[in-house]
Structures are given as structure tokens and as C-alpha cells.
Amino acid sequence: MARVVVVTSGKGGVGKTTTTAAIGAALAQTGGAGGKGGERVVVVDFDVGLRNLDLIMGAERRVVFDLINVIQGDAKLHQALIRDKRIENLALLPASQTRDKDALTAEGVAQVIAELREKFDWIICDSPAGIERGAALAMHHADTAIIVTNPEVSSVRDSDRIIGLLDSKTERAAKGERVEKHLLLTRYDPVRAARGDMLKTEDVLEILSIPLLGIIPESQEVLRASNLGAPVTLNAPDSAPARAYADAVRRLRGETLDMVVPTERRGFVDRLFGRRVA
Amino acid sequence: MSIFSFFVRRGTAPVARERLQILLAHERVATSGEGGDVVALLREEILAVIAKHFPIERDRVQVKLDRGSTVSTLEIGVEMPVDAKLGPRARVA
């Protein structure tokens, strides 16, 4: 039974695309028989006009057709899907860069999601920022939502708004069912939180009152991975954010794990010379 | 910042937390579609009542709103021109 997951936030720049790529790759690599992977995963970019998931996944030079081409019948779904070169059971459905978001129709999206449900076990939808059409359609068919939030006032406020929309404007809401909601706290800095200058995990949880999927620490590995066009879980699997994403994926599959904020394992050279700032 | 205040510093996060709690309590009601934003509704209705008795210029009306955690206050200041034709009940407004 396929599961549709939307990665959403309201606010831009909080880490939706990074999260979609990292979770998509981690889902494809783990689970399945013996935890060796095998479940079929697709990551779908809904940010029409400002696509970026292709770039973060390192597939930007292989985009031929996109979501809008499929919706408008210019291409078949299998022609638009880009298979990942590193993980064979991972695919990407890119958004259109040239069309505007009005080309995204409710019927078209419903059709594509229905087709993806037949081909994949996990469909991860990367929502655009905002609460307009693109964001509304990205969440519409979701069974599960990952709400990406930074420990910062404007991000928390926008997440609250998105939670309201997930409870009222989705297909599940229309049927009187609920979208399963998870909070993913990103760019978290435990040192600043302990000093009292950053909202603590408990503060955000109390305000938004949805269960916590994971805490991704602020890390230079995220930028390194995006520079190279590889999900952070693939590029630096032992790094703190990658381990945090791996834990989040296990929780998404229903496991219960202790909630810890992973810290960077520093190598000998790092310890000798300290962290370089730039 | 004095040395003393450095030691008793609570940090800014508690302020952020409190501001968010108050703000979201109001926004959840306003966007839920149930009842809507009562304070905004009151503002419009009060102004409409005043407008029934004499013409009011929108840009000469001062509306101050303070959304608190338990109590909100709405202050409406209307300039009533001396030569405005006031009906007998206008004094009540």
C-alpha cells in the first residue's frame, strides 16, 4: 500500500527540499527485506517555476520531461521519471521550470498521484513555500505530512498555519479523516537553545502540539551535500544531520526511538586544529 | 549590558515563546472559519453604527488593538466635527 508524504512548511528556506532528498534517499536505502532497501521511492517536485529538487538530487542535467508535461499529456509518466544513478529504487519527478503554477490542475495532480501509487511504495511530495495553489495541491493527496520547522518565530507561525490547512483542505480532511502529521525541527543548534537564545524543542512542540519526527542539527554537511548534488544521507552518512534523518525515517516507518540530537563525530585532524569557520 | 545583567540573562527564547503563544491563539480562531476574528468584526460593526449617525472619514478614525493572552482591548477614537449633524442618540455612541 503506497504512502503519500508531503514535506511542507509554509515558510521558505527552512529545508523542505533538503529534507525531501535526504528522507527519499534514506527510505530507498533502508527498509525492505532485511533493511537493505528495496522499497520503491519517488520524490516529486511541486515547485513549478522554481524547481530545485533536481539540483539537490544531482539530476539537473537529466531532466527531459516534467510534471506539467505529464499532466498535459505531452509525456508519459515513465518518460518524465528520472532514475537515481546511485540508488536504483529511487526516482525523481521534476517540476517544470518554464511554466507557471496555473498549469498545475487538481485533476492532473490527482491522475499523476494515482499512477504513482501503483508504481511506488513511497511518494514524497516536495511542497513549494507559501499557501497558494502549488502548496495546496502538494498536500492535497497526502496520507502523512512532515512539517519542516526552524526554531524561529516566523517559521513556527507559518507551520501553525500549514497544520490548520492540513486539517481542513486536504482530501483526507474532506473524507473526515486525518492527515498524519509529524514535526521535523531543522537547523537546530543545541548550544544556542541551552543558552536560551533559540526556541527549545519542547517550546516548539508545546506550541504546535504535533508529534516530533526528528531534530536535524545545523550542519555544514548540508551545504556540502547540496554543492555536490547528493542527498546528505548519501553524501555523508555518518554526519550528524544524516544520522538524524536516518532516525527520522525509522520513526516514519513506525519505530520508536529515543530522541537525541546527533553531534558531529570529529576526526583526529579536526580535533587537533579545531573547526575551520570558512 | 552590565556584568550583573550578564549573569541573570534569561535569553531571548522565552520572549519568542510567549509572543508565539499569544499570536497563535488569536490566529487559530481567525483562520478556522468558526466565528472568525471577533475583534476585527467588532471594529467594523462599531464603525458602521457610528456612521449611521454622522459621516465619518475612515482616515480620521484611530483604531488601536492590543491582543493579549487572556484579554484583548479595542480602542476606537472618532473625531466628531462640531458642525456634524448629530441625531438625538449620537451622544450614546
Side-chain angles (χ1 to χ4, degrees):
Chain A
M1 181 71 184
R3 206 160 144 195
V4 179
V5 180
V6 63
V7 179
T8 184
S9 69
K11 190 175 184 296
V14 295
K16 285 181 296 297
T17 304
T18 301
T19 296
T20 304
I23 284 187
L27 275 170
Q29 280 189 310
T30 59
K36 297 267 190 251
E39 282 190 299
R40 297 155 303 171
V41 181
V42 63
V43 288
V44 186
D45 194 345
F46 272 82
D47 205 344
V48 177
L50 288 172
R51 75 168 175 226
N52 274 319
L53 188 56
D54 55 334
L55 201 52
I56 299 301
M57 297 288 293
E60 72 278 8
R61 297 198 300 179
R62 296 162 63 210
V63 177
V64 184
F65 294 113
D66 56 52
L67 176 61
I68 302 297
N69 291 139
V70 177
I71 286 178
Q72 301 195 327
D74 302 329
K76 293 283 178 208
L77 181 61
H78 71 88
Q79 294 176 297
L81 287 170
I82 302 171
R83 248 173 72 171
D84 193 273
K85 283 193 166 169
R86 300 148 297 204
I87 309 172
E88 64 168 345
N89 50 326
L90 176 63
L92 161 72
L93 181 56
S96 171
Q97 183 70 341
T98 50
R99 309 297 282 275
D100 65 68
K101 59 182 188 300
D102 294 340
L104 215 53
T105 61
E107 302 74 34
V109 171
Q111 179 82 46
V112 170
I113 295 285
E115 224 176 306
L116 288 173
R117 276 185 193 273
E118 286 171 22
K119 288 183 194 290
F120 294 93
D121 301 303
W122 293 89
I123 299 145
I124 317 293
C125 304
D126 185 18
S127 171
I131 52 172
E132 305 295 319
R133 186 190 195 89
L137 287 173
M139 72 167 67
H140 193 75
H141 302 279
D143 303 308
T144 302
I146 297 174
I147 296 121
V148 183
T149 307
N150 290 168
E152 180 271 327
V153 287
S154 55
S155 176
V156 175
R157 178 196 213 174
D158 291 0
S159 293
D160 190 75
R161 189 74 197 279
I162 286 291
I163 290 168
L165 295 175
L166 285 163
D167 288 337
S168 60
K169 303 282 184 207
T170 53
E171 192 180 46
R172 283 210 167 198
K175 285 193 284 185
E177 299 167 8
R178 292 187 86 78
V179 175
E180 185 187 297
K181 299 181 294 285
H182 300 278
L183 178 73
L184 188 74
L185 202 57
T186 56
R187 309 200 68 165
Y188 191 72
D189 184 338
V191 176
R192 290 168 77 189
R195 210 193 293 147
D197 275 330
M198 182 180 268
L199 286 168
K200 287 187 170 56
T201 307
E202 309 87 81
D203 294 338
V204 182
L205 282 176
E206 191 194 323
I207 292 166
L208 297 177
S209 50
I210 57 171
L212 184 63
L213 186 67
I215 306 167
I216 314 299
E218 171 83 65
S219 166
Q220 55 183 352
E221 290 301 336
V222 171
L223 181 59
R224 280 199 181 140
S226 86
N227 286 341
L228 298 173
V232 69
T233 40
L234 203 59
N235 191 57
D238 292 328
S239 67
R243 284 181 287 137
Y245 275 121
D247 280 358
V249 160
R250 291 173 65 186
R251 292 189 193 99
L252 196 59
R253 285 203 166 100
E255 283 186 53
T256 310
L257 303 173
D258 284 343
M259 189 64 68
V260 286
V261 187
T263 49
E264 223 65 73
R265 287 174 188 149
R266 296 174 64 175
F268 174 72
V269 179
D270 279 340
R271 263 179 287 183
L272 205 60
F273 297 105
R275 271 272 181 257
R276 282 176 57 174
V277 177
Chain B
M1 186 172 44
S2 71
I3 290 174
F4 180 71
S5 70
F6 177 80
F7 284 114
V8 297
R9 214 165 87 98
R10 275 175 73 218
T12 50
V15 182
R17 177 194 149 102
E18 200 183 322
R19 289 176 58 215
L20 272 170
Q21 280 172 330
I22 294 171
L23 173 72
L24 294 181
H26 287 282
E27 283 191 348
R28 282 170 189 160
V29 179
T31 56
S32 69
E34 295 156 21
D37 188 343
V38 180
V39 184
L41 186 69
L42 266 180
R43 182 190 65 209
E44 287 311 306
E45 288 190 355
I46 290 171
L47 289 177
V49 167
I50 298 171
K52 260 203 270 181
H53 298 285
F54 65 93
I56 50 171
E57 286 176 45
R58 270 306 177 114
D59 53 359
R60 310 201 71 165
V61 177
Q62 289 167 8
V63 182
K64 272 196 207 167
L65 180 57
D66 186 8
R67 297 178 197 268
S69 54
T70 50
V71 177
S72 294
T73 58
L74 175 67
E75 244 181 271
I76 297 187
V78 187
E79 284 182 28
M80 297 166 103
V82 188
D83 59 351
K85 290 201 171 78
L86 299 178
R89 293 167 62 200
R91 253 165 284 148
V92 183

CSV table of all heavy atoms in Angstrom, one decimal, chain A residues 76-126:
chain,number,residue,atom,x,y,z
A,76,LYS,N,4.5,10.6,-21.2
A,76,LYS,CA,4.0,9.6,-20.3
A,76,LYS,C,4.8,9.7,-19.0
A,76,LYS,O,5.9,10.2,-19.0
A,76,LYS,CB,4.2,8.2,-20.9
A,76,LYS,CG,3.4,8.0,-22.1
A,76,LYS,CD,1.9,7.7,-21.7
A,76,LYS,CE,1.1,7.5,-22.9
A,76,LYS,NZ,-0.3,7.8,-22.7
A,77,LEU,N,4.2,9.2,-17.9
A,77,LEU,CA,4.8,9.3,-16.6
A,77,LEU,C,6.2,8.7,-16.6
A,77,LEU,O,7.2,9.2,-16.1
A,77,LEU,CB,4.0,8.7,-15.6
A,77,LEU,CG,4.5,8.7,-14.1
A,77,LEU,CD1,4.7,10.1,-13.6
A,77,LEU,CD2,3.5,7.9,-13.2
A,78,HIS,N,6.3,7.5,-17.2
A,78,HIS,CA,7.6,6.8,-17.2
A,78,HIS,C,8.7,7.5,-18.0
A,78,HIS,O,9.9,7.4,-17.7
A,78,HIS,CB,7.5,5.3,-17.7
A,78,HIS,CG,7.2,5.3,-19.2
A,78,HIS,ND1,8.2,5.2,-20.1
A,78,HIS,CD2,6.1,5.2,-19.9
A,78,HIS,CE1,7.7,5.1,-21.3
A,78,HIS,NE2,6.4,5.1,-21.2
A,79,GLN,N,8.3,8.4,-18.9
A,79,GLN,CA,9.3,9.2,-19.6
A,79,GLN,C,9.8,10.4,-18.8
A,79,GLN,O,10.9,10.8,-19.0
A,79,GLN,CB,8.6,9.8,-20.9
A,79,GLN,CG,8.3,8.8,-21.9
A,79,GLN,CD,7.5,9.5,-23.1
A,79,GLN,OE1,6.5,10.0,-22.9
A,79,GLN,NE2,8.1,9.4,-24.3
A,80,ALA,N,9.0,10.9,-17.9
A,80,ALA,CA,9.4,12.0,-17.0
A,80,ALA,C,10.1,11.6,-15.8
A,80,ALA,O,10.9,12.4,-15.2
A,80,ALA,CB,8.1,12.8,-16.6
A,81,LEU,N,9.9,10.4,-15.4
A,81,LEU,CA,10.6,9.9,-14.1
A,81,LEU,C,12.1,9.7,-14.4
A,81,LEU,O,12.5,9.1,-15.4
A,81,LEU,CB,10.0,8.6,-13.7
A,81,LEU,CG,8.6,8.6,-13.0
A,81,LEU,CD1,8.1,7.2,-12.8
A,81,LEU,CD2,8.7,9.4,-11.7
A,82,ILE,N,12.9,10.3,-13.5
A,82,ILE,CA,14.4,10.1,-13.6
A,82,ILE,C,14.9,9.2,-12.6
A,82,ILE,O,14.7,9.4,-11.4
A,82,ILE,CB,15.1,11.5,-13.5
A,82,ILE,CG1,14.5,12.5,-14.5
A,82,ILE,CG2,16.6,11.4,-13.6
A,82,ILE,CD1,15.0,13.9,-14.3
A,83,ARG,N,15.5,8.1,-13.0
A,83,ARG,CA,16.0,7.1,-12.0
A,83,ARG,C,17.3,7.6,-11.4
A,83,ARG,O,18.2,8.0,-12.2
A,83,ARG,CB,16.2,5.8,-12.7
A,83,ARG,CG,15.1,4.8,-12.1
A,83,ARG,CD,15.2,3.5,-12.9
A,83,ARG,NE,16.3,2.7,-12.6
A,83,ARG,CZ,16.5,1.4,-13.0
A,83,ARG,NH1,15.5,0.9,-13.7
A,83,ARG,NH2,17.5,0.7,-12.7
A,84,ASP,N,17.5,7.5,-10.1
A,84,ASP,CA,18.7,7.9,-9.5
A,84,ASP,C,19.8,7.0,-9.9
A,84,ASP,O,19.7,5.8,-10.0
A,84,ASP,CB,18.5,7.9,-8.0
A,84,ASP,CG,19.6,8.6,-7.2
A,84,ASP,OD1,20.7,8.0,-7.0
A,84,ASP,OD2,19.5,9.8,-7.0
A,85,LYS,N,21.0,7.6,-10.1
A,85,LYS,CA,22.2,6.8,-10.6
A,85,LYS,C,22.8,6.1,-9.5
A,85,LYS,O,23.6,5.1,-9.7
A,85,LYS,CB,23.2,7.8,-11.2
A,85,LYS,CG,22.8,8.2,-12.6
A,85,LYS,CD,23.9,8.9,-13.4
A,85,LYS,CE,23.6,9.0,-14.8
A,85,LYS,NZ,24.6,9.9,-15.5
A,86,ARG,N,22.6,6.5,-8.2
A,86,ARG,CA,23.3,5.9,-7.1
A,86,ARG,C,22.4,4.8,-6.4
A,86,ARG,O,22.9,3.8,-6.0
A,86,ARG,CB,23.7,6.9,-6.1
A,86,ARG,CG,24.6,8.0,-6.6
A,86,ARG,CD,24.4,9.3,-6.0
A,86,ARG,NE,23.1,9.9,-6.3
A,86,ARG,CZ,22.8,11.2,-6.2
A,86,ARG,NH1,23.7,12.1,-5.9
A,86,ARG,NH2,21.6,11.6,-6.4
A,87,ILE,N,21.1,5.1,-6.4
A,87,ILE,CA,20.2,4.2,-5.7
A,87,ILE,C,19.1,3.8,-6.7
A,87,ILE,O,18.3,4.6,-7.2
A,87,ILE,CB,19.5,4.9,-4.5
A,87,ILE,CG1,20.5,5.5,-3.6
A,87,ILE,CG2,18.6,3.9,-3.7
A,87,ILE,CD1,19.9,6.4,-2.5
A,88,GLU,N,19.1,2.5,-7.1
A,88,GLU,CA,18.2,2.1,-8.3
A,88,GLU,C,16.7,2.2,-8.0
A,88,GLU,O,16.0,2.4,-8.9
A,88,GLU,CB,18.7,0.8,-8.8
A,88,GLU,CG,18.5,-0.4,-7.8
A,88,GLU,CD,18.6,-1.7,-8.5
A,88,GLU,OE1,18.6,-1.7,-9.8
A,88,GLU,OE2,18.7,-2.7,-7.8
A,89,ASN,N,16.3,2.0,-6.7
A,89,ASN,CA,14.9,2.1,-6.4
A,89,ASN,C,14.4,3.5,-6.0
A,89,ASN,O,13.4,3.6,-5.4
A,89,ASN,CB,14.5,1.0,-5.4
A,89,ASN,CG,15.4,1.1,-4.1
A,89,ASN,OD1,16.6,1.4,-4.3
A,89,ASN,ND2,14.9,0.9,-3.0
A,90,LEU,N,15.2,4.5,-6.4
A,90,LEU,CA,14.8,5.9,-6.1
A,90,LEU,C,14.6,6.6,-7.4
A,90,LEU,O,15.5,6.5,-8.3
A,90,LEU,CB,15.9,6.6,-5.3
A,90,LEU,CG,15.8,8.1,-4.9
A,90,LEU,CD1,14.5,8.3,-4.1
A,90,LEU,CD2,17.0,8.6,-4.2
A,91,ALA,N,13.5,7.4,-7.5
A,91,ALA,CA,13.3,8.1,-8.8
A,91,ALA,C,12.8,9.6,-8.4
A,91,ALA,O,12.4,9.8,-7.3
A,91,ALA,CB,12.2,7.5,-9.6
A,92,LEU,N,13.0,10.4,-9.4
A,92,LEU,CA,12.6,11.8,-9.2
A,92,LEU,C,11.6,12.2,-10.3
A,92,LEU,O,11.8,11.9,-11.5
A,92,LEU,CB,13.9,12.7,-9.4
A,92,LEU,CG,13.7,14.2,-9.7
A,92,LEU,CD1,13.2,15.0,-8.5
A,92,LEU,CD2,15.0,14.8,-10.1
A,93,LEU,N,10.6,13.0,-9.9
A,93,LEU,CA,9.7,13.6,-10.9
A,93,LEU,C,9.9,15.1,-10.8
A,93,LEU,O,9.4,15.7,-9.8
A,93,LEU,CB,8.2,13.1,-10.6
A,93,LEU,CG,7.2,13.7,-11.6
A,93,LEU,CD1,7.5,13.3,-13.1
A,93,LEU,CD2,5.8,13.2,-11.3
A,94,PRO,N,10.5,15.7,-11.7
A,94,PRO,CA,10.8,17.1,-11.6
A,94,PRO,C,9.6,18.0,-11.9
A,94,PRO,O,8.7,17.6,-12.5
A,94,PRO,CB,11.9,17.4,-12.6
A,94,PRO,CG,11.8,16.2,-13.6
A,94,PRO,CD,11.1,15.1,-12.9
A,95,ALA,N,9.7,19.2,-11.4
A,95,ALA,CA,8.7,20.2,-11.7
A,95,ALA,C,9.1,20.9,-13.0
A,95,ALA,O,10.2,20.8,-13.4
A,95,ALA,CB,8.5,21.2,-10.6
A,96,SER,N,8.2,21.7,-13.5
A,96,SER,CA,8.5,22.5,-14.7
A,96,SER,C,9.2,23.8,-14.3
A,96,SER,O,8.8,24.4,-13.3
A,96,SER,CB,7.3,22.8,-15.5
A,96,SER,OG,7.6,23.7,-16.5
A,97,GLN,N,10.2,24.2,-15.0
A,97,GLN,CA,10.9,25.4,-14.7
A,97,GLN,C,10.4,26.6,-15.5
A,97,GLN,O,10.5,27.7,-15.1
A,97,GLN,CB,12.4,25.2,-14.9
A,97,GLN,CG,13.3,26.4,-14.6
A,97,GLN,CD,13.4,26.6,-13.1
A,97,GLN,OE1,12.6,26.2,-12.3
A,97,GLN,NE2,14.4,27.4,-12.6
A,98,THR,N,9.7,26.3,-16.6
A,98,THR,CA,9.3,27.4,-17.5
A,98,THR,C,7.9,27.7,-17.4
A,98,THR,O,7.5,28.9,-17.7
A,98,THR,CB,9.7,27.0,-19.0
A,98,THR,OG1,9.1,25.7,-19.2
A,98,THR,CG2,11.2,27.0,-19.2
A,99,ARG,N,7.0,26.8,-17.0
A,99,ARG,CA,5.6,27.1,-17.0
A,99,ARG,C,5.3,27.8,-15.7
A,99,ARG,O,6.0,27.8,-14.7
A,99,ARG,CB,4.8,25.8,-17.1
A,99,ARG,CG,5.3,24.9,-18.2
A,99,ARG,CD,5.0,25.6,-19.5
A,99,ARG,NE,3.6,25.4,-19.9
A,99,ARG,CZ,3.1,24.4,-20.5
A,99,ARG,NH1,3.9,23.4,-20.8
A,99,ARG,NH2,1.8,24.3,-20.8
A,100,ASP,N,4.0,28.4,-15.6
A,100,ASP,CA,3.6,29.0,-14.4
A,100,ASP,C,2.8,28.0,-13.6
A,100,ASP,O,2.3,27.0,-14.2
A,100,ASP,CB,3.0,30.3,-14.5
A,100,ASP,CG,1.7,30.2,-15.3
A,100,ASP,OD1,0.7,29.7,-14.7
A,100,ASP,OD2,1.6,30.7,-16.4
A,101,LYS,N,2.5,28.3,-12.3
A,101,LYS,CA,1.9,27.3,-11.5
A,101,LYS,C,0.4,27.0,-11.8
A,101,LYS,O,-0.1,26.1,-11.3
A,101,LYS,CB,2.1,27.7,-10.0
A,101,LYS,CG,1.5,29.0,-9.6
A,101,LYS,CD,1.7,29.3,-8.2
A,101,LYS,CE,1.0,30.6,-7.7
A,101,LYS,NZ,1.3,31.8,-8.4
A,102,ASP,N,-0.2,27.9,-12.7
A,102,ASP,CA,-1.6,27.6,-13.1
A,102,ASP,C,-1.7,26.4,-13.9
A,102,ASP,O,-2.8,25.8,-14.1
A,102,ASP,CB,-2.1,28.8,-13.8
A,102,ASP,CG,-2.2,30.1,-12.9
A,102,ASP,OD1,-2.2,29.9,-11.7
A,102,ASP,OD2,-2.3,31.2,-13.5
A,103,ALA,N,-0.6,25.9,-14.5
A,103,ALA,CA,-0.6,24.7,-15.3
A,103,ALA,C,-0.8,23.5,-14.5
A,103,ALA,O,-1.2,22.4,-15.0
A,103,ALA,CB,0.7,24.6,-16.1
A,104,LEU,N,-0.7,23.6,-13.2
A,104,LEU,CA,-0.9,22.5,-12.2
A,104,LEU,C,-2.4,22.5,-11.9
A,104,LEU,O,-2.9,23.4,-11.3
A,104,LEU,CB,-0.1,22.9,-10.9
A,104,LEU,CG,0.5,21.8,-10.1
A,104,LEU,CD1,1.4,20.9,-10.9
A,104,LEU,CD2,1.3,22.4,-9.0
A,105,THR,N,-3.1,21.4,-12.4
A,105,THR,CA,-4.5,21.4,-12.2
A,105,THR,C,-4.8,20.3,-11.1
A,105,THR,O,-4.1,19.3,-11.0
A,105,THR,CB,-5.3,21.0,-13.5
A,105,THR,OG1,-4.8,19.7,-13.9
A,105,THR,CG2,-5.1,22.0,-14.5
A,106,ALA,N,-5.9,20.4,-10.4
A,106,ALA,CA,-6.3,19.5,-9.4
A,106,ALA,C,-6.5,18.1,-10.0
A,106,ALA,O,-6.0,17.1,-9.5
A,106,ALA,CB,-7.5,19.9,-8.7
A,107,GLU,N,-7.2,18.0,-11.2
A,107,GLU,CA,-7.4,16.7,-11.8
A,107,GLU,C,-6.1,16.1,-12.3
A,107,GLU,O,-5.9,14.9,-12.1
A,107,GLU,CB,-8.4,16.9,-13.0
A,107,GLU,CG,-9.7,17.6,-12.8
A,107,GLU,CD,-9.6,19.1,-12.5
A,107,GLU,OE1,-8.7,19.7,-13.1
A,107,GLU,OE2,-10.4,19.6,-11.7
A,108,GLY,N,-5.3,16.9,-12.9
A,108,GLY,CA,-4.0,16.4,-13.4
A,108,GLY,C,-3.1,15.8,-12.2
A,108,GLY,O,-2.6,14.8,-12.4
A,109,VAL,N,-3.1,16.6,-11.1
A,109,VAL,CA,-2.3,16.1,-10.0
A,109,VAL,C,-2.9,14.8,-9.4
A,109,VAL,O,-2.2,13.8,-9.1
A,109,VAL,CB,-2.2,17.2,-8.9
A,109,VAL,CG1,-1.6,16.6,-7.6
A,109,VAL,CG2,-1.4,18.4,-9.4
A,110,ALA,N,-4.2,14.7,-9.3
A,110,ALA,CA,-4.9,13.5,-8.8
A,110,ALA,C,-4.5,12.3,-9.7
A,110,ALA,O,-4.2,11.2,-9.2
A,110,ALA,CB,-6.4,13.7,-8.8
A,111,GLN,N,-4.5,12.5,-11.0
A,111,GLN,CA,-4.2,11.5,-12.0
A,111,GLN,C,-2.8,11.0,-11.8
A,111,GLN,O,-2.5,9.8,-11.8
A,111,GLN,CB,-4.4,12.1,-13.4
A,111,GLN,CG,-4.1,11.1,-14.5
A,111,GLN,CD,-5.3,10.2,-14.8
A,111,GLN,OE1,-6.4,10.7,-14.9
A,111,GLN,NE2,-5.0,8.9,-15.0
A,112,VAL,N,-1.8,11.9,-11.7
A,112,VAL,CA,-0.4,11.6,-11.6
A,112,VAL,C,-0.2,10.8,-10.2
A,112,VAL,O,0.5,9.8,-10.2
A,112,VAL,CB,0.5,12.8,-11.7
A,112,VAL,CG1,1.9,12.5,-11.3
A,112,VAL,CG2,0.4,13.4,-13.1
A,113,ILE,N,-0.8,11.3,-9.2
A,113,ILE,CA,-0.6,10.7,-7.9
A,113,ILE,C,-1.2,9.2,-7.9
A,113,ILE,O,-0.6,8.3,-7.4
A,113,ILE,CB,-1.3,11.5,-6.7
A,113,ILE,CG1,-0.6,12.8,-6.5
A,113,ILE,CG2,-1.3,10.7,-5.4
A,113,ILE,CD1,0.8,12.8,-5.9
A,114,ALA,N,-2.3,9.1,-8.5
A,114,ALA,CA,-2.9,7.8,-8.6
A,114,ALA,C,-2.0,6.8,-9.4
A,114,ALA,O,-1.8,5.6,-9.0
A,114,ALA,CB,-4.3,7.8,-9.3
A,115,GLU,N,-1.4,7.3,-10.4
A,115,GLU,CA,-0.5,6.5,-11.2
A,115,GLU,C,0.8,6.1,-10.4
A,115,GLU,O,1.3,5.0,-10.5
A,115,GLU,CB,-0.1,7.2,-12.5
A,115,GLU,CG,-0.2,6.4,-13.8
A,115,GLU,CD,0.1,7.2,-15.0
A,115,GLU,OE1,-0.6,8.2,-15.2
A,115,GLU,OE2,1.0,6.8,-15.8
A,116,LEU,N,1.3,7.1,-9.7
A,116,LEU,CA,2.5,6.9,-8.9
A,116,LEU,C,2.2,5.9,-7.8
A,116,LEU,O,3.1,5.1,-7.4
A,116,LEU,CB,3.0,8.2,-8.3
A,116,LEU,CG,3.6,9.2,-9.2
A,116,LEU,CD1,3.9,10.6,-8.5
A,116,LEU,CD2,4.9,8.7,-9.8
A,117,ARG,N,1.0,5.9,-7.2
A,117,ARG,CA,0.6,5.0,-6.2
A,117,ARG,C,0.8,3.5,-6.6
A,117,ARG,O,1.0,2.6,-5.9
A,117,ARG,CB,-0.8,5.2,-5.7
A,117,ARG,CG,-0.9,6.3,-4.6
A,117,ARG,CD,-2.4,6.3,-4.1
A,117,ARG,NE,-2.7,7.5,-3.3
A,117,ARG,CZ,-2.6,7.6,-2.0
A,117,ARG,NH1,-2.1,6.5,-1.3
A,117,ARG,NH2,-2.9,8.7,-1.4
A,118,GLU,N,0.6,3.3,-7.9
A,118,GLU,CA,0.7,1.9,-8.5
A,118,GLU,C,2.1,1.5,-8.7
A,118,GLU,O,2.4,0.3,-8.6
A,118,GLU,CB,-0.1,1.9,-9.8
A,118,GLU,CG,-1.6,1.8,-9.6
A,118,GLU,CD,-2.3,2.0,-11.0
A,118,GLU,OE1,-1.7,1.7,-12.0
A,118,GLU,OE2,-3.5,2.4,-10.9
A,119,LYS,N,3.0,2.5,-8.9
A,119,LYS,CA,4.4,2.2,-9.2
A,119,LYS,C,5.3,2.2,-8.0
A,119,LYS,O,6.4,1.7,-8.1
A,119,LYS,CB,4.9,3.2,-10.3
A,119,LYS,CG,4.4,3.0,-11.7
A,119,LYS,CD,5.1,4.1,-12.5
A,119,LYS,CE,4.5,4.3,-13.9
A,119,LYS,NZ,4.5,3.3,-14.9
A,120,PHE,N,4.9,2.9,-7.0
A,120,PHE,CA,5.9,3.2,-5.9
A,120,PHE,C,5.3,2.8,-4.5
A,120,PHE,O,4.1,2.8,-4.3
A,120,PHE,CB,6.3,4.6,-5.9
A,120,PHE,CG,7.2,5.0,-7.1
A,120,PHE,CD1,6.6,5.5,-8.2
A,120,PHE,CD2,8.5,4.8,-7.1
A,120,PHE,CE1,7.3,5.9,-9.3
A,120,PHE,CE2,9.3,5.1,-8.2
A,120,PHE,CZ,8.7,5.7,-9.3
A,121,ASP,N,6.2,2.6,-3.5
A,121,ASP,CA,5.7,2.4,-2.1
A,121,ASP,C,5.7,3.7,-1.4
A,121,ASP,O,4.8,3.8,-0.5
A,121,ASP,CB,6.7,1.4,-1.4
A,121,ASP,CG,6.8,0.1,-2.1
A,121,ASP,OD1,5.8,-0.6,-2.3
A,121,ASP,OD2,7.9,-0.3,-2.6
A,122,TRP,N,6.6,4.6,-1.7
A,122,TRP,CA,6.6,5.9,-1.0
A,122,TRP,C,6.6,7.0,-2.1
A,122,TRP,O,7.4,7.0,-3.0
A,122,TRP,CB,7.9,6.1,-0.2
A,122,TRP,CG,7.9,5.2,1.0
A,122,TRP,CD1,8.5,3.9,1.0
A,122,TRP,CD2,7.5,5.4,2.3
A,122,TRP,NE1,8.4,3.4,2.3
A,122,TRP,CE2,7.8,4.3,3.1
A,122,TRP,CE3,6.8,6.5,2.9
A,122,TRP,CZ2,7.5,4.2,4.5
A,122,TRP,CZ3,6.6,6.5,4.3
A,122,TRP,CH2,6.9,5.3,5.0
A,123,ILE,N,5.7,8.0,-1.9
A,123,ILE,CA,5.7,9.1,-2.8
A,123,ILE,C,5.9,10.4,-2.0
A,123,ILE,O,5.0,10.7,-1.1
A,123,ILE,CB,4.3,9.2,-3.6
A,123,ILE,CG1,4.1,7.9,-4.4
A,123,ILE,CG2,4.2,10.5,-4.4
A,123,ILE,CD1,2.7,7.4,-4.5
A,124,ILE,N,7.1,11.0,-2.1
A,124,ILE,CA,7.4,12.1,-1.2
A,124,ILE,C,7.3,13.4,-2.1
A,124,ILE,O,8.0,13.6,-3.0
A,124,ILE,CB,8.9,12.0,-0.8
A,124,ILE,CG1,9.2,10.6,-0.3
A,124,ILE,CG2,9.2,13.0,0.4
A,124,ILE,CD1,8.5,10.1,0.9
A,125,CYS,N,6.3,14.2,-1.6
A,125,CYS,CA,6.0,15.5,-2.4
A,125,CYS,C,6.7,16.7,-1.7
A,125,CYS,O,6.4,17.0,-0.6
A,125,CYS,CB,4.5,15.7,-2.4
A,125,CYS,SG,3.6,14.3,-3.1
A,126,ASP,N,7.5,17.3,-2.5
A,126,ASP,CA,8.2,18.5,-2.0
A,126,ASP,C,7.4,19.7,-2.3
A,126,ASP,O,7.2,20.1,-3.5
A,126,ASP,CB,9.6,18.6,-2.7
A,126,ASP,CG,10.5,19.7,-2.2
A,126,ASP,OD1,10.2,20.2,-1.1
A,126,ASP,OD2,11.4,20.1,-2.9
